[in-house]
Amino acid sequence: MPSRDATTHWEGGLQDGKGHVTLDSSNAGQFNVSFPTRAEDPNGQTSPEELIAAAHSSCLAMNLSGVLGSENLTAKSIDVSAEVTLSPATGGGFEISGIAVTLRADVDGVDEAKFQELASTAEKTCPVSKALAGTTITLDASLGS
């Protein structure tokens, strides 16, 4: 499997500085970042937390599709959102204090109980979930679009 990479160029101090993140592997885009927009109103800029949310939601959607496939099920649709929270850390600085994942899927041939089991398996085996294991991750999953 290939690796993926991104780079960030930063200029200035924490409060008055700014930077831009480049998605190098895909060349899919370049995004502005700054600390004030990270900690307050995004004002059209992204943040590390938003990029983690994008990685987590897309990975979990793909992983659930694979878990369903192993049960000979195919989703009509899967919608995943991830809300990543940045909070002050004990002892100073900041930490990602939690990730709230909401997953909705439209899948024929499975009841709610079995779907809960499959969604839980998908979350636990998702590579991004594993990478974020030091953070509290909550999952709200249900059938229905």
Side-chain angles (χ1 to χ4, degrees):
M1 301 290 290
S3 62
R4 302 291 187 231
D5 61 301
T7 56
T8 300
H9 175 78
W10 186 267
E11 295 178 358
L14 178 62
Q15 293 297 330
D16 63 350
K18 60 185 177 181
H20 58 268
V21 176
T22 302
L23 304 181
D24 297 321
S25 304
S26 63
N27 199 29
Q30 200 171 74
F31 305 94
N32 293 326
V33 293
S34 71
F35 186 76
T37 61
R38 180 181 186 187
E40 298 169 11
D41 182 359
N43 198 26
Q45 295 186 32
T46 193
S47 67
E49 292 73 30
E50 185 175 45
L51 295 170
I52 289 170
H56 202 180
S57 65
S58 61
C59 185
L60 184 51
M62 286 182 223
N63 204 48
L64 177 59
S65 181
V67 169
L68 291 170
S70 70
E71 298 284 325
N72 296 315
L73 297 166
T74 301
K76 291 180 185 177
S77 66
I78 298 171
D79 294 294
V80 182
S81 66
E83 182 179 347
V84 177
T85 302
L86 180 70
S87 301
T90 303
F94 295 90
E95 67 183 0
I96 294 174
S97 57
I99 302 172
V101 176
T102 302
L103 186 156
R104 299 292 181 262
D106 185 358
V107 185
D108 289 335
V110 66
D111 65 20
E112 186 69 35
K114 181 65 174 178
F115 177 75
Q116 290 295 324
E117 176 188 320
L118 297 172
S120 178
T121 297
E123 194 280 321
K124 289 175 186 165
T125 61
C126 169
V128 173
S129 292
K130 290 178 185 179
L132 300 170
T135 301
T136 301
I137 300 171
T138 60
L139 176 64
D140 172 6
S142 67
L143 286 169
S145 49

